[in-house]
Amino acid sequence: MTIRPELRSASDATIDDAVTHADPMALRGLLYQLTGDESIAATEVELVRAGNVEVMALAPHEVANLQAKAARFVKAYRDQGAGELSIGPADRLPRSLGLTAGVDLAEAELPMWLEELALDPWARGLSWRRPPAPERLDEFSVLVIGAGLGGLNAAVQLEHAGIPYTVVEKNSGVGGTWFENRYPGARVDTASRSYTHIYGVDFEYPNPFCEQAENEKYFNWVADRFDVRKNVVFDTEVRSAVWDEAAGRWEVTAHGPDGTRVWRPNAVISAVGFLARPNIPEIPGADTFAGLSFHTARWPADLDLSGSRVGVIGSGCTSYQMLPELADLAGHVTVFQRTPQWVFERPGYLHPYPEQVTWLDRNVPYFSNFMRFRSMWLTGPYVLSRSFDLDPEWTDPLTLSALNKQIRDDRIEFLHRKLGHRPELMEKMIPPHPPMSARPVIVDENKGVYDAIVRDDVTLVSEGIRALSPHGITTVDGQEHAVDVLVYATGFRANDFLWPMEVRGRGGRRVEELWATDGPRAYVGTMLPGFPNFFMLYGPNTNPFSLGVVNFSEMMTRFALERIEQLVLDGRASVDVTAEAYWRYNHDLDEREKLRTWSDPRADNYYRNAYGRSSSNCPFQGNEIWDWLRYPDLTDFVVS
């Protein structure tokens, strides 16, 4: 039974103060769900500007009254002992979620949004159609490649379903990108409440946008809370996965501390991600540089940069995020920028939640659930996703729609505010591409890249690099820039999915052969024709702009487990997607991509591969992906 001793000893003043820090829309939906008070449902909302988009918010004149109602409810709950509290009638939940969103939810989408509310921690787990035969289950195994965000969730769900599994991880700890990326300033640029799995809704994040250490802490919590660490083989890298048709199994070869190891699982779940392998550009003279050089994903432990002249190559999200912190650590920083990016300020991006918010998370039942839903709604198909839509009829040469123009105007105004007194810098920081056609960069409004480049100990260089020398970098204008330490903030080999693993399917066909025409593709981001029992998480075209990476990973894991369920229950050997279904889906994907901002050719970044299309981004809405994965057309598969 849940009892909240902190709340039981809380004063009226503590409660009155805490509720003033709650998101009014989340409070509106939660309080209505717990009370059924129709006066709460009748509160007025209005459309307001928030960042790139317009959102429904509680009308200002309604806020104080709602907070007073919430305080009275929490005090009464405290006085009753602060024990177990029911969520209330299930048939009230759709309306409560609508009150949190500010609009009525489509009936067909309610199952998805109820999952996001995370009342059921196993809502995206496998529910067996019937109990599996123990002997069949014992002889079946799954190998998961990677123990990051997706791989850990796959392990948790396999553990919960009772399916034997092994996770092979190349690093010495869990967390994937959050184990590897330890550069100064590393943190999420999506809200942390939307960066947890459904079963992690009550994990207490101290920041709205958490730094690397907190993210790594969360993944260690997942590994230990659900007892999956015991099945992770660390410091071992998968080199190849080859389908054995006769045996109906994969042969997976890996290399670790004890040499070569081989597993023969029935199914493989690849959770290697696509922002995992550093991209190091080939620059003349790189091998002659005498100082320390490294990629941001390989930041040396305990590195002391005091007094050092540091050169940073790259001007993407990592570089911009790192620069303000790096300037505080080094003697001088020179950043070599090829292309500037659009920068979006978020008030409080670098700061923790007020203690009242985390108090509410701990002490008000279901508060974190409704806050999670609100966060998901704002990143979903009806809010944030709209900023990535283009208007085919729009004729402005600099922008892609009326909203895109408004976003650009806002960004230029922010540039003026920050760099108007330095016109030579401002000119260098205006991107040549429309907003949202490359990855938008989130910064703190008071300590971001614009604040860094005006410092006397930071130099912005926009001339191209000609070569490296033992003691610095020479640019194409002939100028030499002396540096002691060189940092490659040059991103990842984002379009080389599954690389450098050798993956061979039926008939020994390499995955590169399937992708030879125009780069990596997949069926709903997860299956490949001719590669049976092989499922990808964060595979081709699953970088989402409607909902988030965690959501997609959870959906695809459940999809994979439901395909595996059929093999186990029906005694089958393999499940494969048909080539027809694969290409049908990808034809629809290509058509939809034409209506998304990243299809603009002026942007040159990992969003577009060498063939001019995106292998990474998902042009579909999150609710569409959910529907395809939850209720797939079974004729798209061949089970043998």
Side-chain angles (χ1 to χ4, degrees):
M1 180 177 180
T2 301
I3 296 177
R4 295 175 169 82
E6 185 181 12
L7 176 58
R8 293 176 71 175
S9 62
S11 67
D12 286 0
T14 296
I15 295 171
D16 290 337
D17 178 45
V19 297
T20 65
H21 290 78
D23 180 294
M25 294 297 284
L27 201 60
R28 182 184 190 227
L30 171 61
L31 204 55
Y32 176 75
Q33 178 60 34
L34 294 176
T35 67
D37 183 346
E38 289 298 329
S39 69
I40 295 171
T43 51
E44 297 178 13
V45 295
E46 59 184 31
L47 203 59
V48 300
R49 185 79 180 169
N52 300 344
V53 294
E54 293 182 323
V55 302
M56 298 303 295
L58 195 66
H61 69 273
E62 298 276 18
V63 173
N65 186 47
L66 180 68
Q67 290 171 346
K69 287 178 181 288
R72 286 196 294 271
F73 178 86
V74 175
K75 291 170 189 175
Y77 171 60
R78 173 201 62 190
D79 295 343
Q80 293 164 5
E84 201 72 39
L85 185 68
S86 168
I87 186 60
D91 59 4
R92 188 186 291 163
L93 282 168
R95 192 175 185 197
S96 300
L97 294 184
L99 292 172
T100 305
V103 297
D104 292 336
L105 306 187
E107 185 175 354
E109 296 176 15
L110 280 173
M112 181 190 75
W113 292 118
L114 287 170
E115 288 176 2
E116 295 299 350
L117 188 60
L119 294 174
D120 176 6
W122 302 111
R124 291 201 175 129
L126 175 63
S127 297
W128 291 95
R129 289 182 281 118
R130 63 178 186 272
E135 62 275 11
R136 174 60 175 158
L137 201 56
D138 288 343
E139 67 185 19
F140 198 95
S141 67
V142 178
L143 186 129
V144 180
I145 307 174
L149 183 155
L152 278 179
N153 179 65
V156 168
Q157 300 298 352
L158 287 162
E159 179 82 19
H160 181 69
I163 299 173
Y165 68 96
T166 299
V167 182
V168 180
E169 168 56 52
K170 64 181 172 61
N171 294 321
S172 58
V174 301
T177 188
W178 296 108
F179 179 86
E180 295 181 356
N181 284 279
R182 299 168 183 268
Y183 59 86
R187 65 176 59 233
V188 289
D189 57 4
T190 55
S192 286
R193 288 191 188 272
S194 61
Y195 206 73
T196 54
H197 302 92
I198 286 175
Y199 45 72
V201 65
D202 291 325
F203 182 84
E204 188 175 315
Y205 273 126
N207 295 66
F209 297 88
C210 281
E211 61 184 352
Q212 179 272 332
E214 288 296 331
N215 299 320
E216 187 181 7
K217 178 181 175 182
Y218 169 72
F219 292 116
N220 277 289
W221 175 86
V222 170
D224 295 329
R225 172 73 176 269
F226 299 100
D227 193 28
V228 299
R229 194 184 297 272
K230 65 181 185 292
N231 285 348
V232 183
V233 180
F234 290 106
D235 297 310
T236 302
E237 183 171 357
V238 171
R239 299 289 176 81
S240 67
V242 179
W243 175 251
D244 183 337
E245 187 72 48
R249 290 176 177 266
W250 285 90
E251 182 175 286
V252 179
T253 303
H255 185 78
D258 299 322
T260 299
R261 294 189 61 178
V262 177
W263 286 269
R264 295 184 62 80
N266 301 81
V268 171
I269 297 177
S270 171
V272 297
F274 71 96
L275 300 177
R277 299 290 180 173
N279 177 47
I280 305 293
E282 294 184 4
I283 302 175
D287 57 343
T288 70
F289 182 68
L292 180 65
S293 64
F294 52 87
H295 189 274
T296 51
R298 302 293 183 264
W299 197 273
D302 303 320
L303 177 63
D304 183 3
L305 294 174
S306 301
S308 296
R309 297 168 298 181
V310 179
V312 177
I313 298 177
S315 55
C317 183
T318 295
S319 175
Y320 280 15
Q321 190 178 63
M322 174 179 62
L323 194 57
E325 304 295 332
L326 190 58
D328 289 339
L329 300 173
H332 190 94
V333 177
T334 303
V335 58
F336 297 85
Q337 173 172 273
R338 182 185 65 174
T339 306
Q341 305 301 330
W342 292 106
V343 173
F344 297 77
E345 74 277 20
R346 290 290 181 271
Y349 177 63
L350 298 178
H351 304 291
Y353 279 122
E355 61 181 14
Q356 294 91 336
V357 174
T358 52
W359 187 94
L360 290 166
D361 280 329
R362 293 191 303 271
N363 292 291
V364 177
Y366 311 109
F367 177 77
S368 60
N369 298 83
F370 275 78
M371 285 293 290
R372 173 192 169 89
F373 168 74
R374 176 69 175 169
S375 180
M376 294 301 183
W377 177 262
L378 295 178
T379 61
Y382 304 108
V383 186
L384 179 63
S385 183
R386 291 177 175 175
S387 63
F388 293 93
D389 290 338
L390 63 78
D391 180 356
E393 306 300 321
W394 188 253
T395 57
D396 178 63
L398 297 177
T399 59
L400 302 172
S401 69
L403 175 58
N404 196 250
K405 183 180 186 306
Q406 185 173 15
I407 292 172
R408 190 181 193 279
D409 290 345
D410 289 346
R411 297 306 90 217
I412 294 294
E413 191 279 329
F414 182 53
L415 262 170
H416 270 290
R417 185 157 28 110
K418 288 291 186 178
L419 300 177
H421 64 296
R422 297 285 300 274
E424 79 286 0
L425 286 179
M426 182 170 169
E427 186 65 27
K428 291 181 178 181
M429 296 304 289
I430 298 177
H433 48 266
M436 321 311 284
S437 59
R439 182 172 178 171
V441 181
I442 307 302
V443 300
D444 186 86
E445 61 180 344
N446 297 314
K447 190 179 180 180
V449 61
Y450 297 157
D451 302 287
I453 62 175
V454 298
R455 293 174 52 151
D456 293 337
D457 54 2
V458 175
T459 301
L460 175 68
V461 177
S462 57
E463 288 75 23
I465 294 174
R466 175 185 294 168
L468 297 186
S469 66
H471 303 291
I473 298 176
T474 303
T475 46
V476 293
D477 59 357
Q479 186 172 352
E480 294 187 9
H481 305 267
V483 298
D484 307 308
V485 177
L486 183 57
V487 180
Y488 289 96
T490 46
F492 300 88
R493 298 183 61 155
N495 288 292
D496 294 332
F497 284 83
L498 302 179
W499 182 87
M501 292 189 299
E502 177 188 10
V503 180
R504 292 182 178 270
R506 284 199 168 103
R509 188 187 191 193
R510 297 173 63 97
V511 70
E512 289 84 1
E513 296 176 55
L514 175 64
W515 291 341
T517 302
D518 56 6
R521 295 177 177 273
Y523 171 83
V524 200
T526 186
M527 291 185 76
L528 305 172
F531 294 78
N533 300 6
F534 187 86
F535 307 92
M536 291 181 289
L537 308 179
Y538 213 9
N541 295 110
T542 60
N543 194 40
F545 295 86
S546 173
L547 298 181
V549 175
V550 176
N551 317 71
F552 276 40
S553 172
E554 289 179 314
M555 296 172 192
M556 290 177 180
T557 299
R558 177 173 58 189
F559 170 87
L561 264 62
E562 287 177 344
R563 308 286 75 73
I564 288 171
E565 175 193 35
Q566 185 176 9
L567 302 182
V568 173
L569 293 183
D570 298 343
R572 301 299 185 93
S574 66
V575 58
D576 199 356
V577 65
T578 67
E580 292 77 13
Y582 171 86
W583 285 112
R584 182 183 69 244
Y585 173 82
N586 278 284
H587 171 76
D588 293 343
L589 182 145
D590 290 345
E591 291 301 306
R592 185 69 67 87
E593 184 172 282
K594 295 175 183 177
L595 301 177
R596 296 299 240 168
T597 52
W598 60 81
S599 64
D600 190 283
R602 285 168 285 187
D604 181 15
N605 56 70
Y606 76 83
Y607 281 3
R608 297 169 65 81
N609 65 15
Y611 302 95
R613 58 171 293 269
S614 178
S615 290
S616 59
N617 293 354
C618 180
F620 297 114
Q621 300 294 356
N623 51 342
E624 295 176 294
I625 295 293
W626 182 89
D627 193 63
W628 287 327
L629 292 170
R630 192 74 186 98
Y631 304 111
D633 183 345
L634 297 182
T635 64
D636 288 348
F637 312 113
V638 176
V639 182
S640 60

